[in-house]
Every structure is written in structure tokens, then in C-alpha cells.
Amino acid sequence: MLIADSRHDSEATMSIEEDLSHFEPDRDSTITIGVFDGVHRGHRHLIGRLVQEARSAGVLAGVLTFKNHPITILRPGVKALLLTDLDERIRLLKELGVDFVVPVRFDRELAGLPSREFLLHLYEKLRMRRLIVGPDFAMGRDRDGTLDTLPAIGESIGFTFEAVDLMTDSVGVVKSTTIRNSIAEGDVSRAARLLGRNFSVSGVVGHGEERGRELGFPTANLELAPGFIFPADGIYAAWAHLDSGSYMAATSIGVRPTFDDGENRTIEAYLLDFSDDIYDQPLRLEFVRRLRGEEKFDTIEALLAQMDEDVRQTREILTDC
């Protein structure tokens, strides 16, 4: 067992060293660790404290995040639907004043590494001299790095430690799980309050069946990468962001029951006052409000009348934003 554990630690050391080798801070740093999926208001509360502390001490503010969600390794049967991809996460973190973000792959080897050894790498490679985390933080093999044990680990290595209280909202603690549940229920307005911004999804405009064009409402069909959450079926007022600019968009998510499309869920956005060809272009949809649930109409005429109303409401809502 001792031999196996030693080999395991060696493999984990090689993995973390490779990920950290791309970053060479030119001075000491204050660091926090976490997935930070969504970079919501609770995360911003913690990052704000991190940046404030770093600036006061004249050191760099750094974030170590994970390329993949740890739960996919720790609990393989659990499906993790993310709020943001890695690039979006890094962009949002840097907008908060963070000096550098270090993405690390979370694998079985890293999961089995004792917290002290992991933190020693951060001390040596990232010049971490202070660690700031949230109140529910734990890390390392068998979760041996806790709020109770980390101060002593820090003292033995040479960094100080601080735990920051969670941010609470009128609905309770601001957490990624609460936001995911809100989005899954179609309550994008509540999700926006918790995120501190509107929820958005990004993808590429694909070639659909062009049924919307035949009806006089040509839509952009968004192709999403797997593993990300998107809102419940229904119609939404959203902003469509292209390289060429931003446009109001009446957006439909669902299986198009009027046409009996079965289980083939789609995200289709009708961009108002827009007619350019945008196939294969990147598109980000920013959801503002849910207008209604998905409905099956008895006639095409009834569907078109409702689509006209959806467009009217979308224009009215987004004009006021």
C-alpha cells in the first residue's frame, strides 16, 4: 500500500507541475482555489476580498481553477452541467481584477494528493504567500485540508490563511446549485439576480430545417457543446451577441410540439431587424426574461399569431433594458 501511494503521489506531482509550469509570477501572490462555475455574486464576494488583500499587500491576486468539474472524478455517476465554459470563466475572473488564472486538470491522481503537498506546489511555483477560501472549503486526499487544518499547514509551509463568509441573498446563500436549479426551471430572472448578470449560452449557428424561414421568422439554430445547462423549454426575450453586434432575439427552446418533432430539443433565436447570413458563426444568447412555456398550436395561423406577440413582447422588454 505504501508503495502504491508513493507512486500515486508521484503521478499527481507530475500532473500538477505540468499545469503550473505555464505560470511564473514575478512576485509573491495571494491565491484562492475553486471551480467558480458561473462566477456568480457569491464568487465575486470572495474574489473581491482576494483582490483587496493582494492590493493592500502589494502582491499578485491569483485564482487556481479546474478545467473540469471535480465531481466528475469524485462521483463518476453524477452528471455535471456547467454554467460557463473555461474561457468564459477566465474572462469573468479577470474582469474582477485578478492578475492571473491557473487552470488545472482535476484527475484521480490529483484527487489522491495530500493537501499539504498540493499547497507546497502553489507555494513554490506560484509564490503563494496567502490562501483565501470560502467557509465550506475542503481539499486533498480524504479532504484532509479543512478550515481547521489549513492554518497549521500554512504555518509549516510559509503562507497565511483566511476563510471568507459566504454571501447571502434575500433567497438565501448564493450558490451555483441554486442558480442551476433556477435556470432548469426557466426562471432566468432569478438566475440573473444571483449571478449578477444575465445567464448566457454560447455556440455556433448551425443549419436547421429552415422551418422558421418558411413561416416568415428565420431563426438562428444554436449548436451547443455538451455538458452545459440551458433553460427550460419555452420562449424567452434574449440578446443575441454576434461579432458584428448585438440584436434583440425572440428565442425558443424545446421540441417544437406543433410539428411533432419528438425529443429533438433545439435553441432557435429570431433576431429582430436582422437578415444577414450567419451560418457557422459564433453566437452568444443572453437570456433576459421567460415569456411563456412551450405550447402546441392547433393551426399554423394560431402559431404565427403567437409568434407575432412573442416578438412584440421581446421588443418591449429589451427596449426597457
Side-chain angles (χ1 to χ4, degrees):
M1 179 64 71
L2 291 176
I3 295 175
D5 283 349
S6 175
R7 177 180 60 81
H8 185 89
D9 290 354
S10 176
E11 291 174 352
T13 295
M14 292 174 60
S15 175
I16 186 66
E17 284 185 347
E18 181 178 353
D19 282 333
L20 297 182
S21 66
H22 304 292
F23 301 88
E24 297 182 357
D26 59 4
R27 62 184 189 272
D28 292 347
S29 65
T30 295
I31 285 178
T32 189
I33 303 170
V35 180
F36 301 110
D37 184 30
V39 193
H40 55 61
R41 289 174 58 212
H43 296 144
R44 290 166 185 252
H45 172 66
L46 173 60
I47 299 299
R49 177 66 176 173
L50 172 83
V51 173
Q52 179 186 44
E53 289 265 337
R55 297 292 178 266
S56 297
V59 301
L60 298 175
V63 174
L64 186 141
T65 189
F66 299 106
K67 299 175 183 178
N68 56 313
H69 201 295
I71 199 171
T72 60
I73 302 299
L74 299 174
R75 298 171 62 187
V78 175
K79 186 176 182 181
L81 294 176
L82 298 176
L83 296 164
T84 50
D85 62 25
L86 181 60
D87 289 341
E88 178 77 352
R89 223 185 313 157
I90 292 173
R91 182 184 69 80
L92 291 169
L93 288 168
K94 288 188 174 180
E95 283 183 356
L96 299 178
V98 170
D99 296 302
F100 64 89
V101 180
V102 182
V104 171
R105 177 155 299 282
F106 193 94
D107 53 23
R108 291 188 179 278
E109 288 70 36
L110 186 58
L113 194 68
S115 58
R116 188 185 189 285
E117 188 167 344
F118 181 86
L119 293 167
L120 183 60
H121 286 299
L122 304 191
Y123 177 84
E124 294 175 343
K125 302 295 184 181
L126 301 182
R127 300 179 60 172
M128 180 183 73
R129 298 299 180 264
R130 185 167 178 79
L131 174 65
I132 298 180
V133 299
D136 55 355
F137 182 83
M139 64 174 295
R141 179 193 297 168
D142 299 324
R143 296 172 68 86
D144 66 338
T146 66
L147 302 192
D148 292 330
T149 63
L150 286 170
I153 293 174
E155 185 175 355
S156 70
I157 292 176
F159 66 84
T160 57
F161 171 77
E162 178 186 352
V164 176
D165 290 338
L166 284 173
M167 177 181 181
T168 58
D169 189 79
S170 57
V171 295
V173 176
V174 180
K175 302 183 73 172
S176 296
T177 301
T178 307
I179 297 169
R180 291 190 193 98
N181 290 340
S182 297
I183 293 168
E185 295 166 1
D187 194 347
V188 294
S189 299
R190 181 169 184 257
R193 291 195 298 272
L194 297 172
L195 282 167
R197 66 183 187 284
N198 291 323
F199 171 71
S200 65
V201 297
S202 299
V204 174
V205 178
H207 294 262
E209 297 181 5
E210 299 192 355
R211 189 172 282 139
R213 186 176 300 277
E214 295 172 3
L215 296 174
F217 291 89
T219 58
N221 293 268
L222 189 64
E223 296 180 349
L224 299 178
F228 295 92
I229 195 168
F230 54 94
D233 293 352
I235 311 301
Y236 297 82
W239 286 103
H241 300 286
L242 295 161
D243 290 341
S244 60
S246 299
Y247 305 88
M248 298 180 183
T251 301
S252 171
I253 301 178
V255 297
R256 296 177 291 194
T258 301
F259 300 99
D260 295 321
D261 281 352
E263 300 300 321
N264 183 29
R265 294 186 81 199
T266 62
I267 300 182
E268 301 176 274
Y270 172 64
L271 278 60
L272 280 60
D273 310 315
F274 184 85
S275 59
D276 293 353
D277 182 349
I278 54 174
Y279 287 125
D280 301 319
Q281 291 188 28
L283 171 65
R284 181 169 66 91
L285 288 175
E286 178 188 344
F287 295 89
V288 176
R289 190 182 304 174
R290 190 180 195 222
L291 304 181
R292 60 181 177 87
E294 188 174 44
E295 301 176 48
K296 182 173 182 176
F297 295 90
D298 294 331
T299 66
I300 297 298
E301 290 73 21
L303 170 63
L304 291 174
Q306 182 59 61
M307 292 172 73
D308 281 332
E309 176 61 15
D310 295 337
V311 169
R312 186 196 68 77
Q313 288 187 45
T314 295
R315 192 184 299 276
E316 179 180 301
I317 291 168
L318 298 184
T319 297
D320 293 337
C321 287

